[in-house]
């Protein structure tokens, strides 16, 4: 009986996840250009949030300078495309390698010298700021003047990842689906169990034989490589790269807000958080401009974070899951009951 209930629950989860992406595909196919552009950003930050969620929510390693890896991916795509005319697909692969290597080296140096916790988080901020300053003065990559991609056309070109706004929407949707599926797969794998054990109690995990030093480097390298892919696609969507915007502290905050609001360590948390925060940010920005109240979107950010931490400390998505479990009809109502033995 218990196995049947678990199987039915798992089937429902998969069907619900598929339904979410069917609805998102319909949104991209039927919506107006403004909503398509807004949802493209939501989906890209869902993927970027998944990369950060993997590092902290599952691996237990806090990064507040994730824009470093996003920027490395963006510049890998931009330099190869703008300077040499090489396909962004190659740039994405190069960005994954560069960002993953930088993340691994940063983690090795940090954990080799016992720099952990909040001190590792501060190290990521310092590394991101160092990279931002370096790229701001590097003329080859455009320095403060930035890099500009060739003007987009309506013709779809998969080899060069060129197309209209709707094309980029479905690219972002595919990335979001890949991020959610990858997080779910890792969560249920051996690595997921090891990383959660390391997150919850590193000393106990080490006592059980887990090589936590290697696993911390691995989770950071994978997270950095994934963030680089998101950064490369984000650069293509925006059409330009500037060091202050692609490697600045503001982007690092934007990446982490979605998972925190949606539910840290959950599969759909980054999507729910991005769907909540990014449209709110755009709406408050427009309202602030009309009312001549600068920074209204930042105030809204703060209010949302306070409300979530106060009332939903584990995020919006776990609250939705609890609500669905509370209102659903128990499975035993639908399952055939065993007949009692006749006396």
């Amino acid at each position: 009986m218990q196995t049947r209930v678990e199987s039915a629950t798992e089937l429902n989860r998969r069907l619900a996840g598929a339904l979410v992406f069917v609805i998102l595909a319909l949104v991209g196919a039927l919506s107006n250009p403004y909503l398509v552009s807004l949802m493209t950003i939501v989906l890209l930050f869902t993927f970027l949030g998944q990369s950060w969620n993997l590092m902290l929510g599952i691996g237990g390693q806090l990064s507040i300078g994730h824009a470093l890896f996003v920027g490395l991916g963006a510049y890998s795509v931009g330099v190869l495309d703008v300077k040499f005319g090489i396909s962004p697909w190659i740039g994405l692969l190069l960005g994954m390698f560069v960002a993953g290597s930088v993340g691994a080296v940063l983690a090795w140096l940090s954990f080799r010298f016992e720099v952990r916790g909040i001190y590792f988080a501060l190290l990521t901020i310092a590394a991101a700021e160092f990279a931002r300053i370096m790229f701001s003065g590097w003329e080859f990559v455009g320095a403060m003047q930035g890099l500009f991609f060739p003007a987009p056309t309506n013709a779809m070109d998969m080899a060069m990842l060129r197309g209209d706004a709707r094309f980029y929407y479905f690219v972002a949707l595919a990335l979001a689906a890949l991020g959610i599926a990858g997080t779910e797969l890792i969560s249920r794998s051996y690595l997921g169990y090891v990383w959660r054990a390391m997150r919850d109690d590193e000393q106990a995990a080490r006592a059980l034989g887990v090589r936590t030093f290697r696993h911390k480097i691995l989770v950071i390298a994978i997270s950095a490589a994934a963030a680089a892919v998101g950064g490369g696609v984000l650069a293509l969507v925006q059409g330009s790269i500037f060091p202050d915007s692609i490697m600045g502290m503001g982007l690092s905050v934007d990446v982490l807000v979605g998972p925190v609001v949606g539910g840290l360590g959950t599969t759909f948390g980054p999507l729910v958080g991005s769907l909540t925060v990014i449209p709110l940010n755009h709406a408050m920005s427009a309202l602030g401009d009309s009312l001549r109240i600068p920074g209204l979107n930042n105030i809204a950010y703060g209010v949302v974070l306070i409300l979530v931490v106060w009332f939903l400390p584990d995020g919006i998505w776990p609250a939705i899951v609890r609500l669905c479990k509370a209102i659903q009809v128990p499975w035993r109502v639908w399952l055939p009951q065993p007949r009692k033995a006749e006396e």
Side-chain angles (χ1 to χ4, degrees):
M1 178 74 68
Q2 185 66 25
T3 302
R4 294 180 64 182
V5 172
E6 291 175 354
S7 300
T9 303
E10 180 63 23
L11 178 61
N12 273 358
R13 289 179 68 254
R14 293 182 180 181
L15 289 176
L19 179 61
V20 167
F21 282 97
V22 168
I23 293 172
L24 289 173
L26 290 175
V27 169
L30 304 176
S31 298
N32 59 62
Y34 172 76
L35 185 57
V36 167
S37 299
L38 178 61
M39 287 299 298
T40 300
I41 300 301
V42 168
L43 293 171
L44 282 177
F45 275 91
T46 296
F47 182 77
L48 291 172
Q50 287 288 5
S51 70
W52 188 83
N53 185 42
L54 183 67
M55 184 185 290
L56 178 62
I58 299 178
Q61 310 305 314
L62 175 60
S63 166
I64 315 180
H66 227 57
L68 167 65
F69 311 120
V70 178
L72 290 174
Y75 273 105
S76 296
V77 170
V79 169
L80 290 184
D81 189 351
V82 176
K83 298 288 186 179
F84 304 105
I86 298 176
S87 170
W89 292 104
I90 305 300
L92 291 175
L93 293 176
L94 177 64
M96 289 179 64
F97 175 76
V98 172
S101 299
V102 169
V105 170
L106 192 65
W108 186 89
L109 289 173
S110 175
F111 302 136
R112 173 68 177 78
F113 296 101
E114 301 295 327
V115 179
R116 303 176 180 177
I118 190 61
Y119 300 104
F120 174 73
L122 293 175
L123 181 62
T124 62
I125 296 176
E129 282 297 293
F130 173 80
R132 183 186 65 81
I133 294 170
M134 183 183 72
F135 278 80
S136 297
W138 192 0
E139 293 295 337
F140 178 73
V141 299
M144 291 298 293
Q145 289 73 35
L147 279 176
F148 293 87
F149 290 91
T153 63
N154 291 328
M156 187 178 71
D157 184 359
M158 283 297 297
M160 296 300 293
L161 275 179
R162 290 284 188 273
D164 58 7
R166 214 171 293 275
F167 168 77
Y168 284 122
Y169 176 88
F170 284 101
V171 171
L173 180 61
L175 270 184
L178 181 63
I180 289 174
T183 301
E184 179 72 9
L185 182 64
I186 290 176
S187 296
R188 293 171 175 267
S189 70
Y190 168 78
L191 280 180
Y193 289 108
V194 168
W195 290 350
R196 282 194 294 272
M198 180 177 66
R199 174 199 65 190
D200 294 338
D201 193 330
E202 183 178 343
Q203 291 184 348
R206 192 183 300 116
L208 291 173
V210 176
R211 297 181 177 180
T212 57
F213 182 80
R214 293 184 180 181
H215 280 283
K216 286 191 290 186
I217 294 175
L218 179 61
V219 70
I220 291 170
I222 293 175
S223 173
V229 173
V233 177
L234 180 63
L236 289 168
V237 170
Q238 293 178 340
S240 60
I241 307 173
F242 295 95
D244 286 346
S245 61
I246 204 68
M247 285 185 169
M249 188 64 193
L251 185 71
S252 293
V253 173
D254 290 340
V255 168
L256 64 87
V257 165
V260 170
V261 171
L264 191 61
T266 63
T267 303
F268 278 90
L271 174 60
V272 173
S274 298
L275 281 170
T276 303
V277 172
I278 294 177
L280 176 66
N281 182 40
H282 281 250
M284 291 297 102
S285 295
L287 181 62
D289 291 340
S290 62
L291 298 178
R292 297 182 180 179
I293 304 176
L296 186 60
N297 58 323
N298 294 326
I299 296 174
Y301 253 13
V303 170
V304 167
L305 284 174
I306 291 171
L307 291 177
V308 168
V309 171
W310 197 349
F311 295 105
L312 302 170
D314 53 353
I316 296 175
W317 177 246
I320 293 174
V321 172
R322 287 195 299 268
L323 179 62
C324 291
K325 288 182 178 178
I327 64 177
Q328 72 180 359
V329 179
W331 278 104
R332 62 177 177 271
V333 173
W334 302 101
L335 294 174
Q337 301 297 317
R339 295 181 179 179
K340 294 182 179 180
E342 294 182 1
E343 296 181 359

